Amino acid sequence: MILNVRDIRIGYNGRLVLQGLDFAVDRGQVLAILGPNGVGKTTLLRCINAMLKPRTGAVLVEYADVFRMHAGEIAKRLGYVAQRNEAGRMTAFDAVLLGRKPHMRWKISEADLRKVDAALKQLGLDHLALRHIDAMSGGELQKVCIARALVQEPSVLLLDEPTSSLDLKNQLEILRTIRHVVHEHKLAAVMTMHDLNMAFRFSDAFVFIKDGRIFCCGQNTELTPDMVQEVYGVPVDILRHQGQAVVVPQMAGC
Amino acid sequence: MSHFDHGQIPSEYTAYIGRKAVFLGGLTLLTGVLLVMAVSLGAVRIPAWDVVQAFFGQGEDPRFAVIIRNIRLPHALAGLFAGAGLAAAGAAMQSILRNPLGSPFTLGISQAGAFGAAFSVMLLGTGTMQSSQVGAVSIINPYLTTLSAFAACMATSLIIIAIARIRGASPEVMVLSGVALGSLFSAGTMFLQYFADDVQLAAMVFWTFGDVGRAGWPEVWFMAVVVTAAVLFFVFNRWNYNAIDAGDETAKALGVRVELVRLAGMVVASLVTAVIVSFLGIIGFVGLVCPHIVRRIIGDDHRFLLPASTLTGACLLLTADIAARLMFAPRVLPVAILTAFFGAPTFLYLLIRRRGR
C-alpha cells in the first residue's frame, strides 16, 4: 500500500470532526472520498498532507510518517490540488514550473523545464504554455493546477473536489486525465467528490464518511442503494448502464 | 519518482524569458543613465562625461568634483536606494498581504514616522525656523529626529508582529492592524500639532515632505546596505511569493511555510521602509504603484517582478529628483511632491490601455 491512513482523529474548537479513520490506497488506484457537506472531507485531505495535525493517528506514505517529515519532503511525496485556486498574471508554463519548487535549488535546471513541458503535453495544454493563467477558463486553470501537482513528482495525488464548478465536458476530461495519469504512472489518488456518478465512474474504490467515521468503503462494484440512503438520507436506486453503476434518486424522495 | 523526463524545452518559452531579461537589462541601463543625469543636471550643469569620470575617481575639474562628491552624488544615490527599497518592499508586501493595495506603508509606518518626528520636534525640542534657507524650516538635531521617527516606525512593526504571532499571520489581521495603528499615530500627531507653536508645527509638516536632500554619505551608506540586503532577501524568496500568489493552500502543499515567509517578509519590508522614512521623510506612491506598473508590463512572476520593481522605483525617484531640481531652479522641491506627478500618469495610461499583448 502506498498510502496508509491510520486512526485519524481531528477536531476544531473542542468538537471532534473525524473520529478515527482508517483506510489505505494502493498504487494505480483512485479513491473517492464521499459524504455530505461539512462531514470533514477537506479536513481529511489537509490532514493527509500534514497541513492540519490530528490529535491521534498516522499518515504513512510509502511507509514513512508524514508528520515526521519537513514541509519540503512532504511536497515531494504528496501533490495537492486545492478546491480554489488563484490565478495571477503568469504563463501556464511558469505556473506549472512552480510545482518544481520542492526540488529546486537556487537555479532552475533544464530537467525542471523538460518535466514542465512533458506535464503540459500530458494534460493537452502545450499549445497554451505561454497563455496567462488569468485569461484561462476554469477547466484550463484546473488542468494547470493538476499539471503543477504532477511535476512535484509525488507518489500520492490529493484532489479536493477537482470538478466542482466545471461543465460536463471539462468534468469528464479532468477525471479521465486523472485516472489515466494515476494508472499510467502508478501513483495513488485520493479525491473528494459530490457527484456520485462521476465518482463511481472514474474511481476504483470509495469511502463514505458519515458523522466523523467511515460508514462504509469498498470497490465500486460493492455499492448498494442502502449505503447511499444511509449517508445522504435520500432513497436511491442503482441502475446499470453500459456496465456502469448509476445512482438515481427515487421520485418519492424528491 | 520520475515520470516526466521526456519533455523538451520549448523555444518559445526560452525566447519569452529572453525578452524579460532584455527588459531588465534595459531598466538597468536606464537607471545608470538617470543616475548620471541626476548628478549632471541642476543649477550648476556638469557635463555627463565629467560625471562618469568622477564616478571612477578621475574628475579633472576640482569645482565639479566637490559638487559631485558633497551634494549631487549622495542625493542621487539616496533617491536611487530609497526608490529601489520602497518599490521592492511594495512588490513583496502586495504578495505577502495578498492585496493590490499593499505597500510599504500599509502597516502604518508613514504615520508612525511622522508621529516620531513630531514627538521629537515638540518634546525633544529639535525643530526650528531658518529664514535664510529656501526650505525656511530646518531640524536642529536631525539625528535625534531620525532616531525618534525610526523608533516609532519599528514600534508599529513590532506591535503588528506581536499581533500576528498571537492571532496567526493572516493578511487580514496584518492589514487591519496596520490601518488601526496608522490611525492611532495620526491622531497622536494631530494631538501634538494642536499644541505646537508655529515654528514647531512648520517643522513637523516640513519633516513629512520626503526629501533626498537630507541624506549625507553616512545615511546613503546605511540605506545602501539595508536596501541591498532587503532586495536580496526578497529575491531569495521569489518562488515563495509566487507560491503564495497561487493560494495559501497550494503554497503549503508546495512545502512553503506560509506564515513564516509572511512574517519574515513583513519584518524586512518594515525595516527597510523605517530606515528610508526616518532618513528622508515620507515618499508615497513609489512603493504602491511601481510594482503595479511593472506587473502591467511583465506580469506577476516574482523572478522578474522584484528586480524590475526595484529598478523602476530607482528610476522614478531619480527622475523626480532631477525634475525637483530643474522645475523651480535654484529652488529644490522635496522629491516626494513630484513622484506621483510622474508615476500617476504612467500608471493611469497602463491601466486604461487594454491588458495583455
Side-chain angles (χ1 to χ4, degrees), chain B residues 77-103:
Chain B
L77 287 176
L80 184 140
F81 285 115
L86 290 171
M93 287 298 267
Q94 283 161 15
S95 176
I96 291 166
L97 299 173
R98 305 183 55 79
N99 192 328
L101 288 177
S103 88

Side-chain angles (χ1 to χ4, degrees), chain A residues 48-159:
Chain A
I48 295 175
N49 208 19
M51 285 185 212
L52 293 174
K53 266 232 149 88
R55 289 187 191 173
T56 64
V59 173
L60 307 178
V61 179
E62 293 167 316
Y63 304 103
D65 188 352
V66 296
F67 300 115
R68 290 171 192 274
M69 294 178 197
H70 60 79
E73 203 179 330
I74 296 170
K76 287 180 188 169
R77 292 175 187 246
L78 290 155
Y80 184 91
V81 179
Q83 199 179 124
R84 287 193 53 214
N85 289 291
E86 309 287 333
R89 194 163 175 75
M90 257 194 152
T91 63
F93 197 98
D94 289 327
V96 175
L97 185 57
L98 179 61
R100 294 299 299 162
K101 177 155 193 332
H103 302 268
M104 259 180 219
R105 301 250 169 261
W106 175 255
K107 227 169 129 37
I108 295 156
S109 72
E110 284 195 3
D112 291 329
L113 298 174
R114 274 201 290 273
K115 284 176 204 289
V116 171
D117 181 58
L120 286 169
K121 281 181 179 143
Q122 172 104 55
L123 282 135
L125 289 168
D126 44 331
H127 65 293
L128 299 176
L130 291 188
R131 174 86 62 86
H132 286 122
I133 55 171
D134 61 351
M136 281 188 164
S137 72
E140 288 164 347
L141 179 62
Q142 186 67 317
K143 283 185 201 167
V144 167
C145 295
I146 292 171
R148 175 159 61 210
L150 287 176
V151 296
Q152 286 175 247
E153 300 191 306
S155 321
V156 178
L157 209 50
L158 306 171
L159 303 115

Side-chain angles (χ1 to χ4, degrees), chain A residues 46 89 94 106 114-115, chain B residues 5 13 238 249 300 303:
Chain A
R46 285 184 188 156
R89 194 163 175 75
D94 289 327
W106 175 255
R114 274 201 290 273
K115 284 176 204 289
Chain B
D5 292 330
Y13 182 72
R238 63 205 183 282
E249 277 201 340
D300 296 335
R303 280 182 295 166

